Amino acid sequence: MVKKHIHITSRRGFLAGASALLASPAIAQYIPGDPLRPAPEAEPDVRRNISGFRALDWQPYFSNTNNGAILVDTVSRALHYWSDDQRVYKLYPSSVPLTEELTRRGRTSVIRKVEGPSWSPTPSMKKRNPEWPDYIPPGPDNPLGTHALYLSWKYYRIHGTHDTRKIGRRSSNGCIGLFNEDIAELFSMAKVGTQVLLI
């Protein structure tokens, strides 16, 4: 019975994904070598990690939780959040940068919060992909999803994604992606000034 349920779920997921791919504009489709969009599941170098997460304590990573604290583990592809008073702890699966060269580690903080963000490629993205549009307004084609937390590092954000295939993968140009429902929840708790550490 369980096997039948899994089969039905995966078939529905496949049909929904195929329909979405056929109905979506060209920018939402997979292009080989395009770091903005993930490779199909069949690609051998694409690995997903949405299981095996473990809860962590904040003390090894932060001296305090003033304004809240966010830890992004790029190895386990998970984002951890602790509230200022440590009463709330959340653990979310995330997407992480596609390559080591695009991965930045260290301490930063949230400097701006935007609901319904717009998106523009960075100069280096545009150089690599001149065919990309210069601007995408908020909406279902926007790579930043429904909410974005802008970090003090230029061009780096924690944001949502409408392309749920990205979560649990190395699939971004440097940003950290969450399911839209997860970024909406994190957005409601994080503040301007929330500490962020990427490891």
Side-chain angles (χ1 to χ4, degrees), residues 70-176:
I70 294 171
L71 172 70
V72 177
D73 186 338
T74 58
V75 176
S76 68
R77 302 171 199 165
L79 183 148
H80 305 259
Y81 170 81
W82 295 270
S83 64
D84 191 315
D85 61 9
Q86 300 155 29
R87 291 183 182 181
V88 176
Y89 169 73
K90 294 287 184 174
L91 174 57
Y92 303 110
S94 70
S95 64
V96 297
L98 190 66
T99 65
E100 275 302 309
E101 294 74 34
L102 295 170
T103 303
R104 184 159 183 182
R105 293 182 179 87
R107 294 186 186 278
T108 181
S109 63
V110 175
I111 61 166
R112 189 160 62 110
K113 298 170 57 175
V114 177
E115 184 171 357
S118 59
W119 177 85
S120 294
T122 65
S124 61
M125 287 181 203
K126 195 67 177 172
K127 188 174 180 182
R128 289 191 304 267
N129 303 278
E131 73 282 4
W132 284 3
D134 293 328
Y135 173 82
I136 298 179
D141 294 327
N142 192 297
L144 300 184
T146 59
H147 299 75
L149 301 174
Y150 289 66
L151 306 179
S152 62
W153 297 334
K154 192 173 185 179
Y155 303 128
Y156 285 83
R157 298 169 183 87
I158 298 169
H159 61 80
T161 179
H162 299 295
D163 188 347
T164 58
R165 298 170 299 169
K166 291 180 129 183
I167 304 304
R169 290 182 171 156
R170 290 189 166 277
S171 59
S172 80
N173 276 285
C175 294
I176 303 302

